[in-house]
Amino acid sequence: MWKADWGTARRHHIDWWRQQGLVFWCTAPADRPHEEWPDPGSFNSLDERWYGPEWRVAKQAHHLSRTYFGGDSFPLMATWSGAGDLAAYLGCEVQLSRDTIWYEPVDPVPDTLTIQRDHPVLRKTLALMDHAMKQGQGRWFVSQPDIIENIDILASLRGTQDLLVDMIDRPEWVLDKLRQINAAFFEVFELLAQPIRDDEGGNTFVFNVWGPGRTAKVQCDASAMFGPDMFQRFVAPLLDEQCRWLDYAMYHLDGEDALVHLDALLSIQSLQAIEWTPRFGYTGEGGGHPKWYDLYRRILAAGKSVQAITVEYEQVIPLLDAVGGKGLFITTSAPTEAAARELEQRVEAYR
């Protein structure tokens, strides 16, 4: 693998899931390429941009081959396209643009939601994953797509505004569909995890998580639009079921409007970790900003691990001084390989 010390990093990832250690994810431009991997240039179509196995793997391999994987980071070949591909597998039409993907609602939503194994998006995703594995030959991990679950998928199928009304007017219909979506998630997860599992039965997922078993990021971004009572009724029970089925689960807490649900998340014993995405994470108030220190302390005090993303290089040590390393996952980047190595040495004192 293009990560000589993966054995050490692996132990750190396992310790982090157990709230016993620190994961320090730091990448930088490499001084020298791991291998010479040519840049394929620009894509020729939107379909190639999102699903073309040869172009996508070659484009990422070119970048990964020139990346220094510092700390506990590792080369990760991304196979995700849209956020919530499970909606496509359940029947949504997919609309492609240069920068994002949209899922068109299904009218009417079927009484029984079943995975369409012949759906073009699923077939293309499996082909992409297969090509990434064959080309990698152990150089990198191959991630699952960001399939997503729960209310977020039903919002894609039904349309967000209509679903919010459904949650008031016909809650039992909503709950029935959410149970079916959970079952679909389990089916698709196994289908997509099987070809990429490592020797320990583990897999990688979005947000750079790896675990030696069924590992995933879980979420409910739509929860920013409703209150704690609805979260407890529609989201928490099925999220708990999902986390109990998984071996390693991290919740993606997206934005300040979702913080109202933190207590409910902290009470889910089957959930091991929470990731925090600040609303203005890319405009100066990212995961390393001091305003989030108390949030991290609160999550850690509840017995959960926490992931801080978009942490600036200069914010890493102040964050560790304030929160400590036990149970903390920091993602950052350095301007040079030398700077990354220097920061790695300083971070070792916090393990």
Side-chain angles (χ1 to χ4, degrees):
M1 195 193 294
W2 291 342
K3 174 69 176 175
D5 58 346
W6 168 242
T8 299
R10 170 193 167 279
R11 292 193 298 272
H12 293 160
H13 281 265
I14 292 173
D15 287 344
W16 174 76
W17 282 114
R18 297 170 177 169
Q19 296 86 46
Q20 296 174 353
L22 165 71
V23 167
F24 176 56
W25 183 286
C26 182
T27 58
D31 291 343
R32 291 175 299 278
H34 304 285
E35 295 179 34
E36 289 298 333
W37 205 290
D39 186 345
S42 183
F43 51 85
N44 295 310
S45 68
L46 290 177
D47 190 74
E48 182 179 57
R49 184 256 186 275
W50 293 108
Y51 302 117
E54 290 79 12
W55 184 84
R56 281 200 60 176
V57 171
K59 194 68 175 179
Q60 290 185 76
H62 172 75
H63 173 72
L64 294 174
S65 70
R66 287 158 173 76
T67 299
Y68 171 69
F69 299 99
D72 305 307
S73 64
F74 52 80
L76 178 60
M77 179 68 66
T79 63
W80 53 85
S81 48
D85 273 349
L86 182 58
Y89 311 155
L90 290 171
C92 284
E93 290 189 13
V94 178
Q95 298 294 330
L96 307 180
S97 70
R98 183 182 182 90
D99 298 318
T100 192
I101 287 177
W102 299 100
Y103 304 98
E104 296 296 330
V106 177
D107 187 19
V109 175
D111 290 337
T112 302
L113 298 174
T114 57
I115 297 300
Q116 299 180 12
R117 294 210 172 203
D118 61 345
H119 194 284
V121 172
L122 182 54
R123 288 191 286 104
K124 291 175 183 179
T125 298
L126 288 168
L128 172 59
M129 295 171 69
D130 180 67
H131 188 67
M133 290 293 291
K134 290 177 179 176
Q135 290 292 299
Q137 294 295 307
R139 295 176 177 89
W140 51 66
F141 282 105
V142 176
S143 176
Q144 288 187 342
D146 192 10
I147 48 181
I148 305 186
E149 62 282 311
N150 213 294
I151 288 283
D152 288 356
I153 294 300
L154 190 52
S156 293
L157 289 163
R158 177 75 172 117
T160 301
Q161 184 168 321
D162 288 336
L163 175 59
L164 292 172
V165 175
D166 291 337
M167 293 167 71
I168 298 172
D169 286 351
R170 49 174 184 169
E172 292 306 321
W173 180 90
V174 173
L175 288 168
D176 176 62
K177 292 295 172 285
L178 293 177
R179 295 184 192 104
Q180 294 183 45
I181 288 170
N182 248 24
F185 176 90
F186 301 148
E187 178 184 345
V188 167
F189 186 98
E190 283 297 289
L191 177 66
L192 297 173
Q194 191 279 329
I196 64 170
R197 281 197 173 101
D198 57 28
D199 293 340
E200 298 174 79
N203 65 276
T204 58
F205 212 81
V206 297
F207 283 84
N208 307 328
V209 294
W210 169 88
R214 294 171 176 158
T215 302
K217 175 273 304 169
V218 295
Q219 68 175 65
C220 183
D221 286 358
S223 67
M225 295 180 282
F226 52 82
D229 290 345
M230 282 191 169
F231 190 91
Q232 289 285 12
R233 181 173 189 182
F234 294 105
V235 181
L238 292 159
L239 182 64
D240 178 51
E241 179 186 34
Q242 187 182 9
C243 293
R244 284 187 283 108
W245 184 84
L246 293 163
D247 297 306
Y248 300 93
M250 180 182 76
Y251 188 88
H252 162 52
L253 187 60
D254 193 1
E256 286 81 334
D257 292 334
L259 284 173
V260 67
H261 306 303
L262 183 57
D263 283 340
L265 292 167
L266 295 178
S267 70
I268 299 175
Q269 294 186 359
S270 57
L271 177 66
Q272 293 104 327
I274 295 176
E275 175 274 334
W276 168 238
T277 297
R279 181 185 301 155
F280 301 107
Y282 294 93
T283 58
E285 294 187 358
H289 195 283
K291 69 189 297 182
W292 309 125
Y293 291 172
D294 284 343
L295 173 62
Y296 298 146
R297 294 187 189 108
R298 181 179 169 191
I299 294 171
L300 292 168
K304 309 291 187 190
S305 299
V306 65
Q307 186 186 61
I309 67 169
T310 62
V311 178
E312 299 293 336
Y313 178 85
E314 298 81 6
Q315 295 175 328
V316 171
I317 298 303
L319 173 58
L320 285 166
D321 283 336
V323 178
K326 187 176 180 181
L328 183 63
F329 188 138
I330 295 174
T331 62
T332 190
S333 61
T336 65
E337 181 176 326
R341 291 182 181 275
E342 188 273 335
L343 187 56
E344 283 180 78
Q345 293 178 357
R346 297 177 65 191
V347 166
E348 282 303 306
Y350 296 86
R351 293 197 185 277

